[in-house]
Structures are given as structure tokens and as C-alpha cells.
Amino acid sequence: MITLSVVVPIRDGERFIADALASLCRNARRDFEFIVVDDGSVDATGAIVDDFRADLPGLSVIRNPAPLGLADARNAGLAAATGRYVTFMDGDDWLAPGYLARLVEAVDGLGCDFVRADHVQVEGRKRVVHRAPLARRGAVLAAGDAILPAGVRTMVDYPYAWAGVYRRSLGDLLHFPGSLHTAEDRPWIWRLHREAATFAVVSLAGVFYRRQVPGSLTQVGDERQLHFFDAFELVFKDLEEEFLPKAVRNFCALLAHHLEIAGRFTPALRARFEERGAQLAGALPVELVAGAASGMSASREAALRALLPGLPAGPRHRRDREDA
């Protein structure tokens, strides 16, 4: 019987995939399986993965002839998974030795639907621990109770699928919207917290998450960035009224962040991005958008108001740490 399935999507990751797989070797157990989804790589990624077949028990490889995107690559791994639990790792990250065993021990002991964990953000030689935004640790809670309040960071502002472990019996709740090539984790985390029953947060920080990796979706300024709006259209679809203020604040903070770094877009793409942003923001309750803007930093508020001329002033309140 397989206890844990680890899904590792990768595309053209020859620089980092050996580090990722070496860290899995230091986490391997006979009841763990490791599913690498090579999403149409044209570099040496496939050959490097094959080199680990003898060293990583439980390794299997799915190869997509043409790239399908991160969401569908993860979905392909999920479809092949046989473990009682499932987790994810991006192919340019790595894990601390023994981290997966501790993660399984946590979810086994707590008995909830899923467990979220902290992570270590890596930029060059710099290491910073980022904590999941819930102070209460090691307690089983209702998943829906971790969405609010609207004015502070909550668990839906921490969408990283790889920062946790999930019962595979959650089924479709673990699947990502395959139409999205970026921001796929946003509707995913909202749906998980709205529809799953229970979860917990534990103080484990064993994922080392590389930031500022050239070629990653967070760094690329092409048309895939427009999927940000498709992602939030899915978040807003059929959303309970009580959660709307939170979702609007979440969207506005991320929109303002994207507007601040819009210099990575071509002029034509920037115009399309701003048009989509104005359309979606304009369809939301104006008082909620104004309230979200008034809680941002001055630079982000200015970026949002430049996109939405005529947006009324919102109530002034304490500027919390922003969601982006």
C-alpha cells in the first residue's frame, strides 16, 4: 500500500531537477511514490530524471509530448497517484531530509482532510521562513472558517499547493483548472477551503521555494498572465456572499501588484491587461473595491485608482500586510 504520492511537474528544468530529485532521495520510503510529469521538455530534463531511476525507489515518469501547462501537468500526476495522501513539489524547489515523513505523521495524527505547512523562500543565498497565515497550530479546524476575516491575510492568501499534504479521497477538490496557465492555485485554494471539511496548520518548514527563477511563470510577461483574470472569475463564480469582501480584497491586492510590475509586458499586452483589469474590477461592488484600495500601500492604491478613475474614496483603515 502506498501512503504518499508526490507529484512533481517540470518543464525544461535541467538546471534544478537534479537538486529536486536528490532531495526526494533523502525523503524516500518504500510506501512513498514519486510521480514526475515531464511537461514537454526539450532540454536535458528527461535524461536527468532517467538517471535517478536506480536511486529513487518509487519513481515513475509521465511524459507529455507537448506542454500542457502546470495545472494539467499536476492533474496528470494526480490521475496516476495511488497513495492515501498526495502532495506536490515544483521541479525547481527542494525538500529538507525527512520532511515528507514528518508531514505524513502530522496528517495521520490529526486525522483531517488536509494539512498546510510553512516554507522557506530562497533567493540566491538568502533563506527566509514564510509562515502560513494562521497562528493556531496543530489543531483541527473547519476549512471554511479559515477564509475570513476580509481585512487580514488568511489561508486563501497562501495558495501554494506544495505547502501541505492532502487526502487523495478529496478527489475532484484536488484538481486544478486546466484552462489556466498561471494563477491556477487561486481558485484551487478557494474551492478547497469552501468545500473540504477540516484542515490544520503545522509548524514544519521543509520546502525550499526558489524565487526569481528565470523562465518561471512569476517572471514571464507573456499572454499567460491574462489567465490571472480567468482565475479570479472562477473564484467569484457562485461565491457565497459572506466571502465576497475577502475575494474582492484578494483580487484587488494582486491586481495592484501586477500593475506595479507591468513594465515586463509589451505595450500591447499591458493595454489588454489593463482592459481586463478594469472590466473585472468594474463588475465588482464599488464600495468593496474602494475599501480594498484604501487599505493598500500608497503606491498600490495609486496604481489601482489610475486604472479605475472615479473610484470613490473608501474608509481608511489599518494597512495590513498585502496579499501579493
Side-chain angles (χ1 to χ4, degrees), residues 66-87:
L68 301 179
L70 176 60
D72 275 330
R74 283 177 174 165
N75 289 341
L78 282 170
T82 63
R84 187 162 77 253
Y85 305 114
V86 64
T87 190

Side-chain angles (χ1 to χ4, degrees), residues 169-220:
S169 59
L170 287 169
D172 287 346
L173 287 185
L174 297 179
H175 282 247
F176 295 83
S179 58
L180 303 179
H181 285 248
T182 189
E184 75 293 326
D185 49 4
R186 296 290 172 172
W188 179 85
I189 195 65
W190 271 89
R191 186 182 178 202
L192 191 61
H193 274 280
R194 288 171 57 210
E195 299 188 29
T198 58
F199 89 111
V201 177
V202 295
S203 294
L204 288 175
V207 179
F208 289 79
Y209 165 50
R210 293 186 202 264
R211 291 270 292 170
Q212 311 296 329
V213 174
S216 72
L217 287 177
T218 59
Q219 301 299 305
V220 173

Side-chain angles (χ1 to χ4, degrees), residues 54-70:
D55 299 317
L56 183 56
L59 173 63
S60 63
V61 183
I62 298 170
R63 288 199 164 94
N64 297 330
L68 301 179
L70 176 60

Side-chain angles (χ1 to χ4, degrees), residues 109-120:
L110 290 163
C112 50
D113 286 338
F114 63 98
V115 165
R116 306 301 312 283
D118 307 322
H119 71 276
V120 181

Side-chain angles (χ1 to χ4, degrees), residues 236 244-245 248-249 251-253 255 277 280-296 301 304-305 308 311-315 317:
F236 289 124
L244 185 58
V248 170
R249 183 185 185 276
F251 167 71
C252 289
L255 174 59
L280 184 49
L284 299 172
V286 66
E287 70 278 4
L288 295 182
V289 176
S294 68
M296 296 177 185
E301 181 177 6
L304 191 62
R305 289 189 179 279
L308 302 169
L311 184 68
H317 52 84

Side-chain angles (χ1 to χ4, degrees), residues 12 22 25 46 103 105 110-111 123-124 176 181 224 228 231 283 298:
D12 294 336
C25 291
L103 204 58
E105 181 181 3
L110 290 163
E123 293 187 39
F176 295 83
H181 285 248
R224 286 174 290 181
F228 164 72

